Amino acid sequence: MNAPPVTPLLQVEDLRCTFDVSKPWLNRLIEGEPRRSLKAVDGVSFDITRGETFALVGESGCGKSTVARLVVGLYQPDGGRIVFDGEDPAQLDAARRQKLRRRFQMIFQDPYASLNPRWRVDRIIAEPIRVFGLMREDAQIRRRVAELLTLVGLSPADGTRYPHEFSGGQRQRICIARALANNPEFLVCDEPTSALDVSVQAQILNLMKDLQDEFGLTYLFISHDLAVVRHMANRVGVMYLGRLVEIADSRTLFEQARHPYTRMLLATIPDISMSGQARPAAQGEVPNPITPPPGCTFHPRCALADERCRREPPQLLPAGPARHAACHAVQEGRDAAPALRHDTD
């Protein structure tokens, strides 16, 4: 008997978000310039199953953090939809949306900027408990805050201190404790270790994996650090200029990437084995996202680009078992060639 299909906890379907980056009206009138818009997210689709860590990676400005903010409701999409456990928050009334909202939280990139400097730590962590009405009595809330501080490797006595009295790693532990305060099932982690020292990064990542195992958490993990992603993720989505160009499980992606952009990113990982093998340097820069190139937006940096790539945007299509890629060269079987340009024209 076939097993029933697994229903994803989160489904993102054709998500789109555009920002108006035009100059003020008077400047446009004087200079004769039209309105300008930036497609930060352009038709992104993926799903995440329960207990999984799905990572989004890419260079700065590719739209991965915008996806994170769209998922938690900090930004409103221009198109597409986000379905959490079978429910679309946009279709719910305020009360049901608030109830659904309690089931997910976000950990931000800069722990200090995301903590209120005027509040003591115990008040910061207790805020989600009070907002969602999980506990009413102050004694209960104090006990819960103490449990959360202990859970993330801090002392309950730290609750009387202010954020500026902690190190960067300790502040991120506070942010994790706050994220866990309302007993969420799903955490959106927007580069949670990029502002930390390498040794502290390892501590925070191991803490997050331990918490995932203990509470069955599901992560959407945003990062530009491929070494971190390899350690954390079950599946990886690679973004370039607002679009997903490849999705695969972590091991497959790191051992046999198909998309030329993914190969370029992997070539930037330091060779700790010191094999001495020649590693091509990444060529070119990310195009202006306000005026992206026609066709495949990666074609100016790709050695596999042909006339079709310059004319026709590729679609994210199956490219092997449990793998999708948006690349004409992959679909046509031309991806065995080098992934990077070596010329200087």
Side-chain angles (χ1 to χ4, degrees):
M1 181 179 295
N2 294 330
V6 178
T7 302
L9 180 63
L10 179 78
Q11 295 172 280
V12 174
E13 302 174 359
D14 197 28
L15 195 63
R16 300 176 185 274
C17 182
T18 302
F19 295 111
D20 188 345
V21 293
S22 306
K23 292 182 179 180
W25 172 81
L26 185 58
N27 293 72
R28 298 201 311 272
L29 182 64
I30 295 173
E31 299 171 18
E33 290 190 4
R35 298 185 72 93
R36 292 179 176 270
S37 60
L38 186 153
K39 290 184 178 180
V41 179
D42 186 14
V44 169
S45 300
F46 60 87
D47 55 60
I48 307 176
T49 58
R50 294 178 186 274
E52 180 185 33
T53 298
F54 181 83
L56 286 178
V57 301
E59 294 168 294
S60 296
C62 69
K64 54 189 185 297
S65 291
T66 303
V67 171
R69 285 163 170 75
L70 288 166
V71 167
V72 298
L74 294 179
Y75 295 160
Q76 294 302 313
D78 299 320
R81 65 178 192 145
I82 300 164
V83 179
F84 184 81
D85 198 13
E87 294 188 283
D88 183 351
Q91 304 299 322
L92 303 178
D93 57 40
R96 292 177 63 194
R97 190 183 305 116
Q98 178 78 345
K99 185 177 180 180
L100 186 68
R101 178 66 181 80
R102 187 183 69 79
R103 299 173 61 187
F104 51 93
Q105 270 289 4
M106 185 166 182
I107 301 172
F108 294 91
Q109 178 176 356
D110 187 344
Y112 190 58
S114 65
L115 298 173
N116 190 331
R118 299 190 179 198
W119 285 12
R120 290 199 303 253
V121 167
D122 54 2
R123 183 179 177 187
I124 290 172
I125 298 175
E127 184 68 4
I129 301 174
R130 299 182 190 277
V131 167
F132 290 108
L134 303 181
M135 296 178 183
R136 301 294 182 184
E137 297 181 7
D138 290 341
Q140 280 185 307
I141 295 175
R142 284 195 296 270
R143 284 195 297 270
R144 177 59 178 159
V145 170
E147 290 173 1
L148 289 166
L149 285 170
T150 303
L151 186 66
V152 298
L154 297 175
S155 167
D158 290 329
T160 60
R161 300 164 63 188
Y162 290 88
H164 72 270
E165 300 179 74
F166 295 88
S167 67
Q170 289 173 323
R171 290 177 194 144
Q172 197 61 286
R173 291 176 186 269
I174 295 168
C175 292
I176 294 172
R178 178 182 60 183
L180 296 175
N182 56 300
N183 302 317
E185 303 170 36
F186 179 72
L187 290 182
V188 176
C189 312
D190 185 12
E191 306 217 33
T193 60
S194 63
L196 308 177
D197 294 336
V198 174
S199 60
V200 180
Q201 285 185 18
Q203 297 173 19
I204 297 300
L205 293 174
N206 289 333
L207 171 64
M208 293 178 66
K209 288 183 73 71
D210 291 342
L211 293 171
Q212 184 177 35
D213 293 339
E214 183 173 352
F215 298 107
L217 298 172
T218 304
Y219 291 152
L220 171 58
F221 195 90
I222 311 296
S223 182
H224 66 274
D225 190 331
L226 289 167
V228 169
V229 168
R230 189 169 194 170
H231 177 69
M232 290 293 295
N234 304 109
R235 288 191 303 132
V236 182
V238 182
M239 288 191 67
Y240 187 75
L241 283 187
R243 304 190 71 183
L244 278 168
V245 298
E246 186 165 5
I247 299 177
D249 69 82
S250 181
R251 182 173 180 178
T252 300
L253 188 89
F254 281 91
E255 292 182 355
Q256 194 178 11
R258 296 291 301 275
H259 197 281
Y261 177 62
T262 309
R263 295 180 184 178
M264 188 192 78
L265 292 180
L266 294 177
T268 65
I269 300 177
D271 184 6
I272 61 174
S273 65
M274 301 181 68
S275 63
Q277 182 178 357
R279 297 162 65 86
Q283 299 293 323
E285 297 181 356
V286 179
N288 186 343
I290 300 175
T291 56
C296 174
T297 53
F298 186 64
H299 83 255
R301 307 170 70 185
C302 180
L304 307 181
D306 60 10
E307 186 57 35
R308 183 186 180 193
C309 300
R310 299 181 182 92
R311 182 184 67 254
E312 179 184 336
Q315 301 300 313
L316 192 66
L317 300 173
R323 181 210 294 269
H324 290 72
C327 179
H328 296 311
V330 171
Q331 301 300 327
E332 297 168 5
R334 296 188 286 109
D335 58 317
L340 301 177
R341 285 195 181 276
H342 301 283
D343 53 76
T344 56
D345 51 291

